[in-house]
Amino acid sequence: MHGQHARPTGKLFGPTPAAQAPPPGHGGAGHSRRRRISGRFHRRILAYRAVEFLSAHIPEASGPGEECLLLVHVRQVVGQVHYRICRDCARGVITAVIIDQRFRNAGLGTRALSHLRSRHPRTAWRSTATRRTARDLLRLMRIPTIISDPSCVHTRQPLLDPTPATS
């Protein structure tokens, strides 16, 4: 008799036989909980629980001080944040943000950039990322975009050879 409390009880306004029984497998309430979690909510939970962050240093061939934050879900890389950092100047430049399509709207990019900020707390971040998804994320995180990549004087200096030159 659920939902019948506000209706008249006469024969004229009585419930129809089809309205008395709820559909099979449904409790009758319009707001009942679905059995499976929706896809977007499930991906958000995965992004916050099952994705690990691993730091990797990229060899000098790509540029001095180039580093990468890998986003790993069950032994599979689902995202990368490429950046350069100078600890002497306390400046960092994000060069690329790449996130797998299925994790794009799950908050994983926000979590990754927040992780970078917490690992390097006194670093002023800028970005040279050109992809639209990266620009939108960086704008959301209030990281300014710069046109060119101004390398600091510390990373422009060549590495000194530790072996003395013989004459």
Side-chain angles (χ1 to χ4, degrees), residues 35-63:
R35 294 182 191 270
R36 271 185 68 73
I37 298 174
S38 71
R40 184 174 180 183
F41 186 63
H42 182 68
R43 284 189 305 272
R44 186 169 289 270
I45 290 172
L46 283 178
Y48 279 86
R49 286 192 179 167
V51 174
E52 298 178 48
F53 297 114
L54 301 173
S55 294
H57 180 72
I58 299 174
E60 296 296 326
S62 62

PDB file of all heavy atoms in Angstrom, residues 35-63:
ATOM      1  N   ARG A  35      22.123  -1.738  -8.506  1.00  0.00           N
ATOM      2  CA  ARG A  35      23.010  -2.788  -8.024  1.00  0.00           C
ATOM      3  C   ARG A  35      24.478  -2.499  -8.354  1.00  0.00           C
ATOM      4  O   ARG A  35      25.347  -2.783  -7.579  1.00  0.00           O
ATOM      5  CB  ARG A  35      22.608  -4.131  -8.607  1.00  0.00           C
ATOM      6  CG  ARG A  35      21.257  -4.577  -8.096  1.00  0.00           C
ATOM      7  CD  ARG A  35      20.926  -5.947  -8.661  1.00  0.00           C
ATOM      8  NE  ARG A  35      19.552  -6.287  -8.415  1.00  0.00           N
ATOM      9  CZ  ARG A  35      19.119  -6.914  -7.348  1.00  0.00           C
ATOM     10  NH1 ARG A  35      19.961  -7.250  -6.409  1.00  0.00           N
ATOM     11  NH2 ARG A  35      17.850  -7.200  -7.213  1.00  0.00           N
ATOM     12  N   ARG A  36      24.795  -1.944  -9.527  1.00  0.00           N
ATOM     13  CA  ARG A  36      26.168  -1.634  -9.921  1.00  0.00           C
ATOM     14  C   ARG A  36      26.430  -0.150  -9.798  1.00  0.00           C
ATOM     15  O   ARG A  36      25.561   0.659 -10.019  1.00  0.00           O
ATOM     16  CB  ARG A  36      26.412  -2.062 -11.369  1.00  0.00           C
ATOM     17  CG  ARG A  36      26.894  -3.484 -11.474  1.00  0.00           C
ATOM     18  CD  ARG A  36      27.243  -3.874 -12.879  1.00  0.00           C
ATOM     19  NE  ARG A  36      28.382  -3.260 -13.522  1.00  0.00           N
ATOM     20  CZ  ARG A  36      29.647  -3.526 -13.247  1.00  0.00           C
ATOM     21  NH1 ARG A  36      29.944  -4.336 -12.298  1.00  0.00           N
ATOM     22  NH2 ARG A  36      30.599  -2.971 -13.943  1.00  0.00           N
ATOM     23  N   ILE A  37      27.654   0.162  -9.466  1.00  0.00           N
ATOM     24  CA  ILE A  37      28.058   1.564  -9.412  1.00  0.00           C
ATOM     25  C   ILE A  37      28.198   2.054 -10.842  1.00  0.00           C
ATOM     26  O   ILE A  37      28.700   1.349 -11.715  1.00  0.00           O
ATOM     27  CB  ILE A  37      29.393   1.692  -8.656  1.00  0.00           C
ATOM     28  CG1 ILE A  37      29.221   1.198  -7.220  1.00  0.00           C
ATOM     29  CG2 ILE A  37      29.887   3.117  -8.667  1.00  0.00           C
ATOM     30  CD1 ILE A  37      30.522   1.140  -6.442  1.00  0.00           C
ATOM     31  N   SER A  38      27.779   3.276 -11.093  1.00  0.00           N
ATOM     32  CA  SER A  38      27.858   3.809 -12.456  1.00  0.00           C
ATOM     33  C   SER A  38      29.322   3.913 -12.891  1.00  0.00           C
ATOM     34  O   SER A  38      30.225   4.012 -12.077  1.00  0.00           O
ATOM     35  CB  SER A  38      27.179   5.173 -12.537  1.00  0.00           C
ATOM     36  OG  SER A  38      27.940   6.138 -11.856  1.00  0.00           O
ATOM     37  N   GLY A  39      29.558   3.925 -14.190  1.00  0.00           N
ATOM     38  CA  GLY A  39      30.906   3.907 -14.745  1.00  0.00           C
ATOM     39  C   GLY A  39      31.757   5.078 -14.324  1.00  0.00           C
ATOM     40  O   GLY A  39      32.914   4.918 -13.947  1.00  0.00           O
ATOM     41  N   ARG A  40      31.214   6.279 -14.369  1.00  0.00           N
ATOM     42  CA  ARG A  40      32.001   7.469 -14.049  1.00  0.00           C
ATOM     43  C   ARG A  40      32.390   7.486 -12.573  1.00  0.00           C
ATOM     44  O   ARG A  40      33.517   7.792 -12.221  1.00  0.00           O
ATOM     45  CB  ARG A  40      31.195   8.703 -14.404  1.00  0.00           C
ATOM     46  CG  ARG A  40      31.957   9.979 -14.208  1.00  0.00           C
ATOM     47  CD  ARG A  40      31.162  11.146 -14.699  1.00  0.00           C
ATOM     48  NE  ARG A  40      31.918  12.358 -14.511  1.00  0.00           N
ATOM     49  CZ  ARG A  40      31.471  13.546 -14.797  1.00  0.00           C
ATOM     50  NH1 ARG A  40      30.280  13.680 -15.308  1.00  0.00           N
ATOM     51  NH2 ARG A  40      32.199  14.602 -14.599  1.00  0.00           N
ATOM     52  N   PHE A  41      31.460   7.129 -11.709  1.00  0.00           N
ATOM     53  CA  PHE A  41      31.739   7.088 -10.281  1.00  0.00           C
ATOM     54  C   PHE A  41      32.751   5.987  -9.961  1.00  0.00           C
ATOM     55  O   PHE A  41      33.650   6.168  -9.144  1.00  0.00           O
ATOM     56  CB  PHE A  41      30.433   6.880  -9.507  1.00  0.00           C
ATOM     57  CG  PHE A  41      30.595   6.955  -8.025  1.00  0.00           C
ATOM     58  CD1 PHE A  41      31.008   8.121  -7.412  1.00  0.00           C
ATOM     59  CD2 PHE A  41      30.343   5.857  -7.237  1.00  0.00           C
ATOM     60  CE1 PHE A  41      31.165   8.200  -6.044  1.00  0.00           C
ATOM     61  CE2 PHE A  41      30.489   5.919  -5.864  1.00  0.00           C
ATOM     62  CZ  PHE A  41      30.904   7.090  -5.269  1.00  0.00           C
ATOM     63  N   HIS A  42      32.641   4.862 -10.647  1.00  0.00           N
ATOM     64  CA  HIS A  42      33.578   3.754 -10.452  1.00  0.00           C
ATOM     65  C   HIS A  42      34.992   4.166 -10.858  1.00  0.00           C
ATOM     66  O   HIS A  42      35.968   3.850 -10.162  1.00  0.00           O
ATOM     67  CB  HIS A  42      33.111   2.535 -11.253  1.00  0.00           C
ATOM     68  CG  HIS A  42      33.976   1.338 -11.080  1.00  0.00           C
ATOM     69  ND1 HIS A  42      34.059   0.643  -9.894  1.00  0.00           N
ATOM     70  CD2 HIS A  42      34.815   0.712 -11.937  1.00  0.00           C
ATOM     71  CE1 HIS A  42      34.906  -0.348 -10.024  1.00  0.00           C
ATOM     72  NE2 HIS A  42      35.379  -0.336 -11.250  1.00  0.00           N
ATOM     73  N   ARG A  43      35.127   4.871 -11.979  1.00  0.00           N
ATOM     74  CA  ARG A  43      36.441   5.341 -12.413  1.00  0.00           C
ATOM     75  C   ARG A  43      37.022   6.350 -11.427  1.00  0.00           C
ATOM     76  O   ARG A  43      38.222   6.394 -11.204  1.00  0.00           O
ATOM     77  CB  ARG A  43      36.357   5.940 -13.802  1.00  0.00           C
ATOM     78  CG  ARG A  43      36.256   4.910 -14.895  1.00  0.00           C
ATOM     79  CD  ARG A  43      36.392   5.529 -16.258  1.00  0.00           C
ATOM     80  NE  ARG A  43      35.471   6.604 -16.529  1.00  0.00           N
ATOM     81  CZ  ARG A  43      34.251   6.448 -17.026  1.00  0.00           C
ATOM     82  NH1 ARG A  43      33.810   5.242 -17.301  1.00  0.00           N
ATOM     83  NH2 ARG A  43      33.478   7.478 -17.258  1.00  0.00           N
ATOM     84  N   ARG A  44      36.176   7.184 -10.822  1.00  0.00           N
ATOM     85  CA  ARG A  44      36.659   8.153  -9.840  1.00  0.00           C
ATOM     86  C   ARG A  44      37.192   7.422  -8.602  1.00  0.00           C
ATOM     87  O   ARG A  44      38.222   7.794  -8.046  1.00  0.00           O
ATOM     88  CB  ARG A  44      35.550   9.120  -9.458  1.00  0.00           C
ATOM     89  CG  ARG A  44      36.029  10.230  -8.556  1.00  0.00           C
ATOM     90  CD  ARG A  44      34.993  11.308  -8.400  1.00  0.00           C
ATOM     91  NE  ARG A  44      34.811  12.082  -9.592  1.00  0.00           N
ATOM     92  CZ  ARG A  44      35.501  13.193  -9.881  1.00  0.00           C
ATOM     93  NH1 ARG A  44      36.408  13.629  -9.053  1.00  0.00           N
ATOM     94  NH2 ARG A  44      35.265  13.855 -10.982  1.00  0.00           N
ATOM     95  N   ILE A  45      36.504   6.370  -8.201  1.00  0.00           N
ATOM     96  CA  ILE A  45      36.982   5.582  -7.068  1.00  0.00           C
ATOM     97  C   ILE A  45      38.313   4.923  -7.416  1.00  0.00           C
ATOM     98  O   ILE A  45      39.249   4.919  -6.609  1.00  0.00           O
ATOM     99  CB  ILE A  45      35.930   4.530  -6.652  1.00  0.00           C
ATOM    100  CG1 ILE A  45      34.736   5.226  -6.012  1.00  0.00           C
ATOM    101  CG2 ILE A  45      36.524   3.512  -5.693  1.00  0.00           C
ATOM    102  CD1 ILE A  45      33.575   4.314  -5.734  1.00  0.00           C
ATOM    103  N   LEU A  46      38.426   4.376  -8.629  1.00  0.00           N
ATOM    104  CA  LEU A  46      39.696   3.773  -9.057  1.00  0.00           C
ATOM    105  C   LEU A  46      40.811   4.809  -9.069  1.00  0.00           C
ATOM    106  O   LEU A  46      41.947   4.522  -8.679  1.00  0.00           O
ATOM    107  CB  LEU A  46      39.552   3.168 -10.452  1.00  0.00           C
ATOM    108  CG  LEU A  46      38.836   1.837 -10.550  1.00  0.00           C
ATOM    109  CD1 LEU A  46      38.736   1.416 -12.005  1.00  0.00           C
ATOM    110  CD2 LEU A  46      39.532   0.785  -9.740  1.00  0.00           C
ATOM    111  N   ALA A  47      40.505   6.018  -9.532  1.00  0.00           N
ATOM    112  CA  ALA A  47      41.520   7.060  -9.617  1.00  0.00           C
ATOM    113  C   ALA A  47      42.046   7.442  -8.246  1.00  0.00           C
ATOM    114  O   ALA A  47      43.206   7.805  -8.105  1.00  0.00           O
ATOM    115  CB  ALA A  47      40.943   8.291 -10.320  1.00  0.00           C
ATOM    116  N   TYR A  48      41.227   7.345  -7.232  1.00  0.00           N
ATOM    117  CA  TYR A  48      41.669   7.732  -5.897  1.00  0.00           C
ATOM    118  C   TYR A  48      42.186   6.577  -5.065  1.00  0.00           C
ATOM    119  O   TYR A  48      42.906   6.785  -4.107  1.00  0.00           O
ATOM    120  CB  TYR A  48      40.536   8.451  -5.153  1.00  0.00           C
ATOM    121  CG  TYR A  48      40.464   9.884  -5.565  1.00  0.00           C
ATOM    122  CD1 TYR A  48      39.734  10.268  -6.674  1.00  0.00           C
ATOM    123  CD2 TYR A  48      41.169  10.851  -4.878  1.00  0.00           C
ATOM    124  CE1 TYR A  48      39.693  11.585  -7.076  1.00  0.00           C
ATOM    125  CE2 TYR A  48      41.137  12.168  -5.270  1.00  0.00           C
ATOM    126  CZ  TYR A  48      40.397  12.529  -6.367  1.00  0.00           C
ATOM    127  OH  TYR A  48      40.373  13.827  -6.765  1.00  0.00           O
ATOM    128  N   ARG A  49      41.841   5.342  -5.411  1.00  0.00           N
ATOM    129  CA  ARG A  49      42.289   4.209  -4.605  1.00  0.00           C
ATOM    130  C   ARG A  49      43.343   3.352  -5.287  1.00  0.00           C
ATOM    131  O   ARG A  49      44.287   2.924  -4.654  1.00  0.00           O
ATOM    132  CB  ARG A  49      41.103   3.317  -4.255  1.00  0.00           C
ATOM    133  CG  ARG A  49      40.222   3.909  -3.224  1.00  0.00           C
ATOM    134  CD  ARG A  49      39.265   2.869  -2.728  1.00  0.00           C
ATOM    135  NE  ARG A  49      38.413   3.433  -1.706  1.00  0.00           N
ATOM    136  CZ  ARG A  49      37.327   2.855  -1.266  1.00  0.00           C
ATOM    137  NH1 ARG A  49      36.950   1.706  -1.771  1.00  0.00           N
ATOM    138  NH2 ARG A  49      36.611   3.415  -0.329  1.00  0.00           N
ATOM    139  N   ALA A  50      43.166   3.056  -6.556  1.00  0.00           N
ATOM    140  CA  ALA A  50      43.970   2.022  -7.201  1.00  0.00           C
ATOM    141  C   ALA A  50      45.082   2.558  -8.086  1.00  0.00           C
ATOM    142  O   ALA A  50      45.812   1.777  -8.664  1.00  0.00           O
ATOM    143  CB  ALA A  50      43.063   1.105  -8.022  1.00  0.00           C
ATOM    144  N   VAL A  51      45.236   3.862  -8.223  1.00  0.00           N
ATOM    145  CA  VAL A  51      46.283   4.415  -9.078  1.00  0.00           C
ATOM    146  C   VAL A  51      47.445   4.869  -8.204  1.00  0.00           C
ATOM    147  O   VAL A  51      47.266   5.593  -7.238  1.00  0.00           O
ATOM    148  CB  VAL A  51      45.742   5.590  -9.928  1.00  0.00           C
ATOM    149  CG1 VAL A  51      46.859   6.245 -10.696  1.00  0.00           C
ATOM    150  CG2 VAL A  51      44.669   5.100 -10.875  1.00  0.00           C
ATOM    151  N   GLU A  52      48.635   4.407  -8.563  1.00  0.00           N
ATOM    152  CA  GLU A  52      49.851   4.762  -7.833  1.00  0.00           C
ATOM    153  C   GLU A  52      50.664   5.762  -8.649  1.00  0.00           C
ATOM    154  O   GLU A  52      50.596   5.786  -9.875  1.00  0.00           O
ATOM    155  CB  GLU A  52      50.702   3.520  -7.601  1.00  0.00           C
ATOM    156  CG  GLU A  52      50.037   2.465  -6.758  1.00  0.00           C
ATOM    157  CD  GLU A  52      50.928   1.255  -6.616  1.00  0.00           C
ATOM    158  OE1 GLU A  52      52.127   1.440  -6.313  1.00  0.00           O
ATOM    159  OE2 GLU A  52      50.427   0.147  -6.819  1.00  0.00           O
ATOM    160  N   PHE A  53      51.453   6.577  -7.957  1.00  0.00           N
ATOM    161  CA  PHE A  53      52.332   7.539  -8.613  1.00  0.00           C
ATOM    162  C   PHE A  53      53.771   7.071  -8.467  1.00  0.00           C
ATOM    163  O   PHE A  53      54.235   6.800  -7.368  1.00  0.00           O
ATOM    164  CB  PHE A  53      52.181   8.927  -7.977  1.00  0.00           C
ATOM    165  CG  PHE A  53      50.815   9.496  -8.137  1.00  0.00           C
ATOM    166  CD1 PHE A  53      49.999   9.696  -7.054  1.00  0.00           C
ATOM    167  CD2 PHE A  53      50.342   9.829  -9.386  1.00  0.00           C
ATOM    168  CE1 PHE A  53      48.735  10.226  -7.200  1.00  0.00           C
ATOM    169  CE2 PHE A  53      49.085  10.357  -9.542  1.00  0.00           C
ATOM    170  CZ  PHE A  53      48.274  10.551  -8.445  1.00  0.00           C
ATOM    171  N   LEU A  54      54.466   6.999  -9.598  1.00  0.00           N
ATOM    172  CA  LEU A  54      55.867   6.606  -9.595  1.00  0.00           C
ATOM    173  C   LEU A  54      56.675   7.679 -10.322  1.00  0.00           C
ATOM    174  O   LEU A  54      56.308   8.105 -11.415  1.00  0.00           O
ATOM    175  CB  LEU A  54      56.058   5.259 -10.297  1.00  0.00           C
ATOM    176  CG  LEU A  54      55.281   4.085  -9.704  1.00  0.00           C
ATOM    177  CD1 LEU A  54      55.433   2.864 -10.590  1.00  0.00           C
ATOM    178  CD2 LEU A  54      55.744   3.796  -8.302  1.00  0.00           C
ATOM    179  N   SER A  55      57.770   8.096  -9.726  1.00  0.00           N
ATOM    180  CA  SER A  55      58.623   9.103 -10.354  1.00  0.00           C
ATOM    181  C   SER A  55      59.702   8.419 -11.171  1.00  0.00           C
ATOM    182  O   SER A  55      60.245   7.389 -10.765  1.00  0.00           O
ATOM    183  CB  SER A  55      59.276   9.981  -9.300  1.00  0.00           C
ATOM    184  OG  SER A  55      58.306  10.736  -8.649  1.00  0.00           O
ATOM    185  N   ALA A  56      59.993   9.006 -12.308  1.00  0.00           N
ATOM    186  CA  ALA A  56      61.040   8.471 -13.175  1.00  0.00           C
ATOM    187  C   ALA A  56      61.849   9.644 -13.722  1.00  0.00           C
ATOM    188  O   ALA A  56      61.285  10.663 -14.106  1.00  0.00           O
ATOM    189  CB  ALA A  56      60.434   7.673 -14.318  1.00  0.00           C
ATOM    190  N   HIS A  57      63.139   9.481 -13.743  1.00  0.00           N
ATOM    191  CA  HIS A  57      64.024  10.488 -14.334  1.00  0.00           C
ATOM    192  C   HIS A  57      64.271  10.097 -15.780  1.00  0.00           C
ATOM    193  O   HIS A  57      64.677   8.980 -16.070  1.00  0.00           O
ATOM    194  CB  HIS A  57      65.336  10.575 -13.573  1.00  0.00           C
ATOM    195  CG  HIS A  57      66.275  11.589 -14.121  1.00  0.00           C
ATOM    196  ND1 HIS A  57      66.058  12.940 -13.977  1.00  0.00           N
ATOM    197  CD2 HIS A  57      67.408  11.455 -14.827  1.00  0.00           C
ATOM    198  CE1 HIS A  57      67.032  13.596 -14.575  1.00  0.00           C
ATOM    199  NE2 HIS A  57      67.873  12.715 -15.099  1.00  0.00           N
ATOM    200  N   ILE A  58      64.020  11.007 -16.680  1.00  0.00           N
ATOM    201  CA  ILE A  58      64.223  10.749 -18.101  1.00  0.00           C
ATOM    202  C   ILE A  58      65.677  11.073 -18.427  1.00  0.00           C
ATOM    203  O   ILE A  58      66.199  12.097 -17.979  1.00  0.00           O
ATOM    204  CB  ILE A  58      63.246  11.587 -18.951  1.00  0.00           C
ATOM    205  CG1 ILE A  58      61.814  11.196 -18.582  1.00  0.00           C
ATOM    206  CG2 ILE A  58      63.496  11.384 -20.429  1.00  0.00           C
ATOM    207  CD1 ILE A  58      60.761  12.047 -19.232  1.00  0.00           C
ATOM    208  N   PRO A  59      66.351  10.238 -19.198  1.00  0.00           N
ATOM    209  CA  PRO A  59      67.768  10.491 -19.514  1.00  0.00           C
ATOM    210  C   PRO A  59      67.984  11.857 -20.151  1.00  0.00           C
ATOM    211  O   PRO A  59      67.075  12.458 -20.712  1.00  0.00           O
ATOM    212  CB  PRO A  59      68.118   9.371 -20.493  1.00  0.00           C
ATOM    213  CG  PRO A  59      67.107   8.319 -20.254  1.00  0.00           C
ATOM    214  CD  PRO A  59      65.865   9.020 -19.793  1.00  0.00           C
ATOM    215  N   GLU A  60      69.223  12.315 -20.091  1.00  0.00           N
ATOM    216  CA  GLU A  60      69.595  13.654 -20.541  1.00  0.00           C
ATOM    217  C   GLU A  60      69.326  13.926 -22.021  1.00  0.00           C
ATOM    218  O   GLU A  60      69.354  15.068 -22.447  1.00  0.00           O
ATOM    219  CB  GLU A  60      71.080  13.911 -20.255  1.00  0.00           C
ATOM    220  CG  GLU A  60      71.426  13.906 -18.784  1.00  0.00           C
ATOM    221  CD  GLU A  60      70.751  15.027 -17.998  1.00  0.00           C
ATOM    222  OE1 GLU A  60      70.560  16.134 -18.538  1.00  0.00           O
ATOM    223  OE2 GLU A  60      70.404  14.794 -16.840  1.00  0.00           O
ATOM    224  N   ALA A  61      69.057  12.917 -22.813  1.00  0.00           N
ATOM    225  CA  ALA A  61      68.808  13.127 -24.245  1.00  0.00           C
ATOM    226  C   ALA A  61      67.562  13.985 -24.468  1.00  0.00           C
ATOM    227  O   ALA A  61      67.459  14.710 -25.445  1.00  0.00           O
ATOM    228  CB  ALA A  61      68.647  11.786 -24.948  1.00  0.00           C
ATOM    229  N   SER A  62      66.588  13.916 -23.569  1.00  0.00           N
ATOM    230  CA  SER A  62      65.366  14.687 -23.746  1.00  0.00           C
ATOM    231  C   SER A  62      65.498  16.101 -23.211  1.00  0.00           C
ATOM    232  O   SER A  62      64.684  16.956 -23.513  1.00  0.00           O
ATOM    233  CB  SER A  62      64.202  13.993 -23.041  1.00  0.00           C
ATOM    234  OG  SER A  62      64.478  13.928 -21.659  1.00  0.00           O
ATOM    235  N   GLY A  63      66.492  16.363 -22.423  1.00  0.00           N
ATOM    236  CA  GLY A  63      66.697  17.694 -21.866  1.00  0.00           C
ATOM    237  C   GLY A  63      67.175  17.573 -20.434  1.00  0.00           C
ATOM    238  O   GLY A  63      66.912  16.592 -19.760  1.00  0.00           O
TER     239      GLY A  63
END
